[in-house]
Amino acid sequence: VQLQASGGGLVQPGGSLRLSCAASGSILRIINMGWYRQAPGSKRELVAVIRSSNSTKYGDSAKGRFTISRDSNKNTVYLQMNSLKPEDTAVYYCNADLLFYGGNQKGGWGQGTLVTVSS
């Protein structure tokens, strides 16, 4: 599974960032696709996930501030992050569970993109 994440960077508290994750390959359908994050010394945690039904699930830290969306034509998922806090600083990882032409279903992780929230 090839996932290319982008959009991380340095932002001031209260600011916004949009992360993108593009899946490539002979993809028939995105089953699940979303974002997790891992701060130094912490476990990887769910940020948000969107399912093939377009239902979404958010981690507690993301509720009310982050929005996940997708463009199925581009096999891309977006994470709009608003009202960012220093505690949002982490490496954000894209995760996907994909169904490929030919019937293979595979899951995997992207390379991670660093988000730093600091003044």
Side-chain angles (χ1 to χ4, degrees):
V1 175
Q2 292 187 329
L3 301 171
Q4 182 65 47
S6 61
L10 174 64
V11 64
Q12 292 187 343
S16 298
L17 278 177
R18 190 175 84 151
L19 305 183
S20 300
C21 179
S24 60
S26 299
I27 299 167
L28 177 61
R29 183 164 57 93
I30 296 173
I31 300 170
N32 297 299
M33 198 162 175
W35 293 92
Y36 292 71
R37 71 185 186 186
Q38 188 167 17
S42 299
K43 295 181 179 179
R44 193 170 295 189
E45 65 175 4
L46 171 71
V47 179
V49 64
I50 188 165
R51 302 180 181 92
S52 58
S53 62
N54 274 333
S55 65
T56 57
K57 180 179 179 180
Y58 292 91
D60 289 341
S61 61
K63 291 177 182 177
R65 299 187 299 127
F66 297 179
T67 303
I68 190 168
S69 61
R70 69 175 187 178
D71 184 336
S72 297
N73 291 330
K74 296 180 179 180
N75 292 322
T76 298
V77 167
Y78 305 98
L79 183 69
Q80 178 66 43
M81 304 187 293
N82 298 328
S83 302
L84 284 161
K85 306 173 182 179
E87 50 264 44
D88 295 316
T89 296
V91 177
Y92 284 69
Y93 295 93
C94 178
N95 175 269
D97 194 10
L98 307 172
L99 181 64
F100 293 86
Y101 286 101
N104 290 329
Q105 180 177 335
K106 296 181 182 179
W109 295 89
Q111 82 280 15
T113 185
L114 177 63
V115 172
T116 303
V117 184
S118 175
S119 55

